């Protein structure tokens, strides 16, 4: 509702300026005053118009306020300071609409959106850095779906890349395992942990003798070719590890629709089709000299070569196909994105791979698939959740699209970048890592999969759940063990997801157990506890929140909002209602900026305001029945909006805390 009222205000202002001053304003800047006492919206418009109209900003503001007339939902407009226009809402109307959960009718684009996230190399266990990617991506999917968009969720699997090749090298050249032996190991519950240690051992093996790197190169080439021992090893390893990744993410309620694999991009000749397009379009050219001799390269910036004499320095070149014929990661990614936009003229075969507890099927690419499958790809917008270190590769894909003339698609391709996750020294020590004196003094300690130093995602979840359960056990010994475990899991998952979301995506996160699990401050448990507290108010009043929601329309009609929301003593309660009305507005902000942290901040602010309200007003002991109804309606609205906001962040609320 808050968003609808802002749009309504903007449109009235735009119409008035066009009729009065003959000026077209494509965008009206609307700000929020620092205090609700000043109104709900503030417009610096008069300052922007002053130069064009050659008038003082305050004079323009006065003309607008005097001439604009009534606006539905607004009490009045006022001139403030040197020319600001403050807009005051009709509080009772917004409150009644919010309580009844009335939703404005907005046109929702019908085109499908594709969000690709996680994309963990299937060579070892998922770690804490992968969790940030997956939580950001899953939350963005939830934001889009909350706004009404249809979303495909994909998790790109690099099963022919160097990381998988390294594990294959470990099995074949260090441990001398047979295919049968690897298949037996792959049936073990934590095969991904086994591969984690082996991957670190292979990295050491390369360092011991640089000649060993030639084994990696040969193995990588064999995996790309397929139909040989190395590719068979790679398939067993990648499939088993991938299944473990999905099980890990399922613990966080993160689901995928489709798992496209690099092996099919090669074996279904996606790359061949893309290669021909890129060569024909002049985007790729063959290098005959220099360090890139024998490679197919692309000019950085996507500029198409128009003459054979065009001089391109080696620094301007991005290698797409290596001199040994293997295709680089970016080349396969270009082919994949042409498919995503429906521009390749080819499709995958599909098989069911994983069924979630709710019955949802996750599909995987194959060379031979089932005839009946959902339609994937051919989307209008793409969001790729990939860390900031992949910016160059992402920009190269966009450049290739532009080089081929697909400018509209390039405009709707968003690299949702984020920074790394590290550990606080305290957290690293708690996990059993020995730190040097220098590392102990750093603000954070970086993790490294190649060195085997890091936090496996399942270990992190297990420790968070154990810590939460110890607290739940002490507070609620009367509950069954299963009930306490469920609550502990909800708290732990909520703590982890909120911690990963509260930092802006360009911030480096230093993870810390104690900070994440705290019931005080800006944490998931703090927001969850606010909802539990609201639920307890209804329980003590003998009212089921769900039945209250079903009858809310009749209940709200009997509430006199005016005396409870107006006057200087009502501003704090009005601020709580106003903040509760902004959920959809904040969701739009998150989508427009690809920044879920705004929703985390909104949730924390709403929880803070509610807790202040809870301590200030004796709700259940209120003697005035009219006033008590209003206070209960306030609790209901905040509980509903907090629950919604948390759900968009993938956080559920325990029965008790």
């Amino acid at each position: 509702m808050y968003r609808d009222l802002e749009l309504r205000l903007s449109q009235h202002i735009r119409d008035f300026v066009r009729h009065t001053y003959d000026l077209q304003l494509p965008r009206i800047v609307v700000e929020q005053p620092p205090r609700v006492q000043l109104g709900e919206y503030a417009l610096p418009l008069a300052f922007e118009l002053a130069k064009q109209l050659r008038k003082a900003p305050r004079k323009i503001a006065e003309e607008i306020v005097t001439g604009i007339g009534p606006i539905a939902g607004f009490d009045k407009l006022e001139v403030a300071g040197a020319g600001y226009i403050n807009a005051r809402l009709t509080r009772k109307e917004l409150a009644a609409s919010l309580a009844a959960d009335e939703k404005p009718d907005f046109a929702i684009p019908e085109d499908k959106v594709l969000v690709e996230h996680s994309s963990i190399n299937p060579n070892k266990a998922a770690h804490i850095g992968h969790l940030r990617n997956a939580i950001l991506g899953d939350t963005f999917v939830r934001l889009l779906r909350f706004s009404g968009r249809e979303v495909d969720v994909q998790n790109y699997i690099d099963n022919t890349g160097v990381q998988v090749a390294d594990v294959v090298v470990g099995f074949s050249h260090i441990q001398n395992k047979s295919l049968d032996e690897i298949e037996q190991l792959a049936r073990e519950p934590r095969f991904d942990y086994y591969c984690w240690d082996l991957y670190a051992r292979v990295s050491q093996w390369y360092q011991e003798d640089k000649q060993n790197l030639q084994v990696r190169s040969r193995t990588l080439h064999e995996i790309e070719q397929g139909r040989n021992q190395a590719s068979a090893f790679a398939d067993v390893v990648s499939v088993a590890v991938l299944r473990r990744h999905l099980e890990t993410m399922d613990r966080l309620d993160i689901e995928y629709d489709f798992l496209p694999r690099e092996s099919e991009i090669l074996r279904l000749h996606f790359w061949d089709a893309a290669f021909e397009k890129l060569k024909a379009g002049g985007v790729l050219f063959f290098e005959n000299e220099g360090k890139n001799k024998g490679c197919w390269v692309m000019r950085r910036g996507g500029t198409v070569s128009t003459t054979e004499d065009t001089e391109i320095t080696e620094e301007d070149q991005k290698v797409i196909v290596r001199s040994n014929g293997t295709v680089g990661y970016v080349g396969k990614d270009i082919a994949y994105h042409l498919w995503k936009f429906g521009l390749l003229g080819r499709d995958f075969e599909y098989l069911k791979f994983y069924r979630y507890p709710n019955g949802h099927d996750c599909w995987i690419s194959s060379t031979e698939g089932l005839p009946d499958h959902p339609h994937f790809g051919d989307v209008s917008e793409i969001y790729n959740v990939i860390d900031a270190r992949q910016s160059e590769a992402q920009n190269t894909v966009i450049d290739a699209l532009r080089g081929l003339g697909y400018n509209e698609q390039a405009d709707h391709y968003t690299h949702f970048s984020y920074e790394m996750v590290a550990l606080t020294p305290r957290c690293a020590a708690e996990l059993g890592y020995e730190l040097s004196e220098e590392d102990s003094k750093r603000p954070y300690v970086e993790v490294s999969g190649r060195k085997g130093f890091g936090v496996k995602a399942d270990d992190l979840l297990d420790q968070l759940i154990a810590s939460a359960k110890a607290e739940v056990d002490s507070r609620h010994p009367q509950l069954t063990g299963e009930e306490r475990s469920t609550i502990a899991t909800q708290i732990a998952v909520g703590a982890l997801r909120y911690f990963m979301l509260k930092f802006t995506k360009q911030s480096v996160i230093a993870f810390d157990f104690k900070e994440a699990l705290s019931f005080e401050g800006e944490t998931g448990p703090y927001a969850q506890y606010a909802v539990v507290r609201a639920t307890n108010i209804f329980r003590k009043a003998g009212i089921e929140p769900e039945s209250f929601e079903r009858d809310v329309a009749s209940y709200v009609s009997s509430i006199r909002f005016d005396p409870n929301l107006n006057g200087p003593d009502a501003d704090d309660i009005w601020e709580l209602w106003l903040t509760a009305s902004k959920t959809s507005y904040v969701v739009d902000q998150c989508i427009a900026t690809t920044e879920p942290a705004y929703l985390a901040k909104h949730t924390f602010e709403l929880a803070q305001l509610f807790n202040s309200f809870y301590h200030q007003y004796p709700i259940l002991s209120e003697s005035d029945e009219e006033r008590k109804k209003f206070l209960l309606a306030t609790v209901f609205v905040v509980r509903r909006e907090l629950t919604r906001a948390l759900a968009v962040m993938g956080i559920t609320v325990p029965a008790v805390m």
Side-chain angles (χ1 to χ4, degrees), residues 294-478:
C295 301
W296 283 92
V297 300
M298 178 178 147
R299 178 180 287 182
R300 295 183 191 276
T303 306
V304 176
S305 178
T306 55
T307 71
E308 294 182 5
D309 298 329
T310 304
E311 183 178 351
I312 303 174
T313 66
E314 291 177 353
E315 288 70 26
D316 292 331
Q317 297 175 358
K318 174 68 178 177
V319 174
I320 304 299
V321 183
R322 305 179 190 97
S323 58
N324 65 1
T326 58
V327 187
Y329 164 78
V330 175
K332 289 173 276 192
D333 212 24
I334 291 170
Y336 174 39
H337 282 86
L338 288 171
W339 170 82
K340 281 183 179 180
F341 279 122
L343 302 171
L344 192 64
R346 294 174 186 254
D347 199 2
F348 293 102
E349 295 290 332
Y350 300 90
L351 290 173
K352 291 180 181 179
F353 183 74
Y354 188 89
R355 172 159 286 189
Y356 293 98
N358 61 8
H360 176 67
D361 285 317
C362 177
W363 294 72
I364 195 167
S365 64
S366 176
T367 53
E368 295 180 2
L370 298 173
D372 297 323
H373 58 80
H375 178 68
F376 298 110
D378 196 18
V379 300
S380 62
E381 296 177 60
I382 294 170
Y383 292 90
N384 286 343
V385 185
I386 304 176
D387 76 43
R389 291 168 292 185
Q390 297 297 320
S391 292
E392 183 183 357
Q394 289 292 293
N395 289 335
T396 301
V397 177
I398 294 172
D399 290 340
L401 289 170
R402 293 199 186 281
L404 290 169
Y406 299 128
N407 289 310
E408 183 179 351
Q409 286 81 1
D411 289 341
H412 290 92
Y413 179 122
T414 301
H415 175 200
F416 187 128
S417 68
Y418 64 94
E419 277 294 345
M420 68 173 184
V421 181
L423 307 174
T424 62
R426 177 175 65 185
C427 182
E430 288 174 354
L431 288 163
Y433 290 107
E434 293 185 11
L435 303 179
S436 66
E437 186 176 345
E438 183 181 356
D439 281 338
S440 299
K441 294 176 181 177
R442 295 179 187 274
Y444 58 82
V445 181
E446 292 187 37
V447 298
S448 171
R450 287 196 178 276
K451 296 177 182 177
F453 178 79
V455 183
K456 299 180 188 75
D458 282 308
D459 286 349
L460 176 63
L461 273 167
D462 290 344
Q463 188 150 340
L464 283 169
I465 291 169
S467 297
K469 190 167 186 300
E471 187 70 26
V472 174
D473 287 345
S474 67
R475 294 188 182 205
H476 303 286
Q478 78 283 3

Side-chain angles (χ1 to χ4, degrees), residues 33 83 130 207 215 220-221 224 270 326 338 360 365 409 442 491-492 514 599 614:
H130 298 135
Q207 291 174 1
V215 179
L220 182 63
H221 195 57
E224 285 195 2
F270 276 35
T326 58
L338 288 171
H360 176 67
S365 64
Q409 286 81 1
R442 295 179 187 274
I491 293 171
K514 186 175 181 181
L599 185 59
Y614 172 85

Side-chain angles (χ1 to χ4, degrees), residues 28-31 42-50 57 83-85:
I28 303 290
V29 175
V30 181
E31 300 173 355
L43 296 92
L45 175 70
F47 299 100
E48 300 170 26
L49 295 176
Y84 264 92
I85 298 173

Side-chain angles (χ1 to χ4, degrees), residues 371-636:
D372 297 323
H373 58 80
H375 178 68
F376 298 110
D378 196 18
V379 300
S380 62
E381 296 177 60
I382 294 170
Y383 292 90
N384 286 343
V385 185
I386 304 176
D387 76 43
R389 291 168 292 185
Q390 297 297 320
S391 292
E392 183 183 357
Q394 289 292 293
N395 289 335
T396 301
V397 177
I398 294 172
D399 290 340
L401 289 170
R402 293 199 186 281
L404 290 169
Y406 299 128
N407 289 310
E408 183 179 351
Q409 286 81 1
D411 289 341
H412 290 92
Y413 179 122
T414 301
H415 175 200
F416 187 128
S417 68
Y418 64 94
E419 277 294 345
M420 68 173 184
V421 181
L423 307 174
T424 62
R426 177 175 65 185
C427 182
E430 288 174 354
L431 288 163
Y433 290 107
E434 293 185 11
L435 303 179
S436 66
E437 186 176 345
E438 183 181 356
D439 281 338
S440 299
K441 294 176 181 177
R442 295 179 187 274
Y444 58 82
V445 181
E446 292 187 37
V447 298
S448 171
R450 287 196 178 276
K451 296 177 182 177
F453 178 79
V455 183
K456 299 180 188 75
D458 282 308
D459 286 349
L460 176 63
L461 273 167
D462 290 344
Q463 188 150 340
L464 283 169
I465 291 169
S467 297
K469 190 167 186 300
E471 187 70 26
V472 174
D473 287 345
S474 67
R475 294 188 182 205
H476 303 286
Q478 78 283 3
L479 298 177
T480 66
E482 184 178 353
E483 288 172 330
R484 295 198 303 272
S485 292
T486 298
I487 292 167
T489 300
Q490 288 175 300
I491 293 171
V493 170
L496 178 58
R497 290 190 68 123
Y498 191 94
F499 193 90
M500 291 293 185
L501 292 169
K502 74 175 182 177
F503 299 95
T504 56
K505 61 188 186 203
Q506 298 307 328
S507 304
V508 173
I509 293 179
F511 187 82
D512 186 89
F513 286 108
K514 186 175 181 181
E515 182 182 348
L517 279 171
S518 174
F519 277 50
E520 300 297 326
E522 192 176 353
T523 67
Y526 179 82
Q528 288 172 312
Y529 188 69
V531 180
V532 171
R533 174 172 273 170
T535 303
N536 286 339
I537 292 171
F538 278 100
R539 180 177 54 80
K540 291 175 182 176
I543 303 171
E544 286 292 329
E546 290 72 21
S547 64
F548 188 97
E549 185 167 12
R550 285 193 297 271
D551 301 332
V552 71
S554 58
Y555 194 88
V556 167
S557 64
S558 66
I559 295 176
R560 294 173 63 233
F561 285 103
D562 248 346
N564 289 296
L565 289 174
N566 289 298
D569 295 336
D571 283 339
D572 55 343
I573 292 184
W574 171 240
E575 185 176 8
L576 179 58
W577 277 81
L578 184 65
T579 303
S581 76
K582 293 180 180 179
T583 304
S584 293
Y585 174 83
V586 174
V587 166
D588 284 351
Q589 257 191 321
C590 294
I591 293 171
T593 59
T594 59
E595 185 53 271
Y598 294 134
L599 185 59
K601 300 294 182 189
H602 167 73
T603 305
F604 176 58
E605 181 184 358
L606 186 55
Q608 272 188 313
L609 289 170
F610 175 73
N611 285 331
S612 296
F613 162 82
Y614 172 85
H615 289 297
Q616 187 173 351
Y617 295 95
I619 300 162
L620 296 179
S621 60
E622 174 59 57
S623 58
D624 185 333
E625 283 302 314
E626 287 290 324
R627 177 72 168 171
K628 187 175 182 178
K629 273 188 178 182
F630 167 75
L631 294 176
L632 281 172
T634 303
V635 175
F636 165 74

